[in-house]
Amino acid sequence: SQQGEEDPQALSIQEGENATMNCSYKTSINNLQWYRQNSGRGLVHLILIRSNEREKHSGRLRVTLDTSKKSSSLLITASRAADTASYFCATGLYNTDKLIFGTGTRLQVFP
Amino acid sequence: DVKVTQSSRYLVKRTGEKVFLECVQDMDHENMFWYRQDPGLGLRLIYFSYDVKMKEKGDIPEGYSVSREKKERFSLILESTSTNQTSMYLCASRLAGGSETQYFGPGTRLLVL
């Protein structure tokens, strides 16, 4: 199975609500990254959190990392219709240049 | 801003045809990657390149080859396409040194009939 698995697979909310997506992984990581993908497009990097960090913010995004539980969460506050997209976590492992991507969470924000 | 471009957004090919997918980045990045993306499977790494003329197999290299003759350009070659290669193909680039941020192109959606 995937190194990173997102939960839920799909999420529908109203504009203004918060959206929380979770990512679990299996092996020790160097960092964990979140990417967004609009329908039919490439991925856009959102935020990177290193293994020695517990929380990071960027605008309306808040990412947490719990290495003891091998999990991360992405919180989007005050969501907008433009946040509608798929969100992927990707784990960067030690001693490798690869990123391992999860299968993504599809977020739908209704106006 | 980093810009990664891919030669085609959509391609339709017949089984057995040869396909070149080209990726160009303008930020002098050493590392480049080719992924394919399929529903329910996420992104899977096909090949990557550390630098010019260097290549490494990813997780699913079978049926694919790559070429990196210039630093800015990384080509994915499907020598003889099959229907199971119908997919979205994504190219990415990254500055060398560890598993840091990757910058993606817009993707090529390939349909093999």
Side-chain angles (χ1 to χ4, degrees), chain A residues 81-111:
Chain A
D83 294 328
T84 294
S86 291
Y87 292 82
F88 294 86
C89 70
T91 49
L93 309 180
Y94 288 102
N95 300 318
T96 177
D97 290 309
K98 297 180 186 179
L99 283 180
I100 311 297
F101 286 84
T103 53
T105 292
R106 292 188 313 279
L107 173 66
Q108 174 82 50
V109 182
F110 291 99

Side-chain angles (χ1 to χ4, degrees), chain B residues 36-77:
Chain B
R36 64 176 282 174
Q37 183 179 23
D38 301 287
L41 296 176
L43 275 74
R44 293 180 291 167
L45 183 64
I46 304 172
Y47 267 96
F48 62 104
S49 169
Y50 287 110
D51 211 332
V52 178
K53 296 193 186 299
M54 297 175 71
K55 60 184 180 185
E56 294 282 339
K57 292 181 180 179
D59 299 318
I60 51 164
E62 296 78 18
Y64 303 95
S65 61
V66 290
S67 171
R68 185 129 182 243
E69 296 297 317
K70 293 185 177 182
K71 193 173 187 178
E72 68 271 18
R73 199 177 297 265
F74 191 35
S75 300
L76 180 69
I77 303 152

Side-chain angles (χ1 to χ4, degrees), chain A residues 13-63:
Chain A
I13 58 174
Q14 295 290 134
E15 257 189 338
E17 294 181 339
N18 295 341
T20 300
M21 287 157 268
N22 303 296
C23 172
S24 59
Y25 57 91
K26 293 183 170 61
T27 61
S28 294
I29 62 170
N30 181 28
N31 64 70
L32 188 143
Q33 304 177 33
W34 285 90
Y35 288 79
R36 184 187 74 222
Q37 183 181 35
N38 289 87
S39 180
R41 309 293 295 186
L43 278 71
V44 175
H45 180 257
L46 295 176
I47 196 165
L48 179 153
I49 187 165
R50 300 193 185 282
S51 59
N52 61 353
E53 297 176 307
R54 291 297 166 258
E55 188 170 312
K56 204 161 184 180
H57 295 82
S58 177
R60 293 184 296 113
L61 305 180
R62 174 178 168 251
V63 170

Side-chain angles (χ1 to χ4, degrees), chain B residues 4-21:
Chain B
V4 181
T5 58
Q6 294 184 227
S7 50
S8 305
R9 290 298 315 281
Y10 302 96
L11 276 177
V12 180
K13 295 291 179 182
R14 298 211 173 270
T15 302
E17 287 190 272
K18 188 170 185 176
V19 175
F20 287 91
L21 301 181

Side-chain angles (χ1 to χ4, degrees), chain A residues 2 5-6 11 21 30 39 48-49 52 65 72 74 82:
Chain A
Q2 298 288 335
E5 295 189 3
E6 286 92 339
L11 180 61
M21 287 157 268
N30 181 28
S39 180
L48 179 153
I49 187 165
N52 61 353
L65 179 64
S72 173
L74 171 67

